[in-house]
Amino acid sequence: VETHLLLRQARMSLLERDKIALRLVVPWNPLLHAGKVISLDLRNKYDGTPMYGHGDYLISSLTHTVRLGGFSTTSMDCVTKNVGMGQT
């Protein structure tokens, strides 16, 4: 656990607030956490070709908002996954 924790802290320290590539709000999902890589699949609705911005993103920060009545959301700031690998 200690080696993975140190690696995760080192990767997260590479992130800069001005490098946010994607900010989105999705229905609440407790399985999402900072440091996880998510895939975004954006397709053209006419011919199904991939659109600009599709690919893998690293969650740099997120907030779970739980509300009464069952409508809860997860807000995420994401960067390109290359940042998590130590690449620019």
Side-chain angles (χ1 to χ4, degrees):
V1 173
E2 290 82 16
T3 56
H4 292 0
L5 178 64
L6 293 175
L7 180 60
R8 181 176 174 177
Q9 287 175 342
R11 286 182 177 170
M12 294 302 282
S13 70
L14 293 172
L15 304 178
E16 299 173 18
R17 297 301 297 165
D18 62 339
K19 302 289 189 226
I20 300 300
L22 178 69
R23 180 170 285 152
L24 67 144
V25 178
V26 298
W28 183 66
N29 186 344
L31 301 177
L32 296 174
H33 55 83
K36 183 173 184 155
V37 176
I38 59 170
S39 291
L40 183 65
D41 187 22
L42 298 172
R43 299 277 175 176
N44 186 323
K45 68 179 183 178
Y46 299 110
D47 59 6
T49 58
M51 293 177 59
Y52 176 79
H54 80 285
D56 296 331
Y57 292 88
L58 175 73
I59 300 173
S60 61
S61 65
L62 78 145
T63 304
H64 294 293
T65 305
V66 180
R67 298 203 174 134
L68 292 175
F71 185 73
S72 302
T73 59
T74 300
S75 305
M76 297 179 282
D77 289 338
C78 303
V79 295
T80 180
K81 76 172 187 173
N82 294 340
V83 172
M85 292 184 230
Q87 302 171 2
T88 57

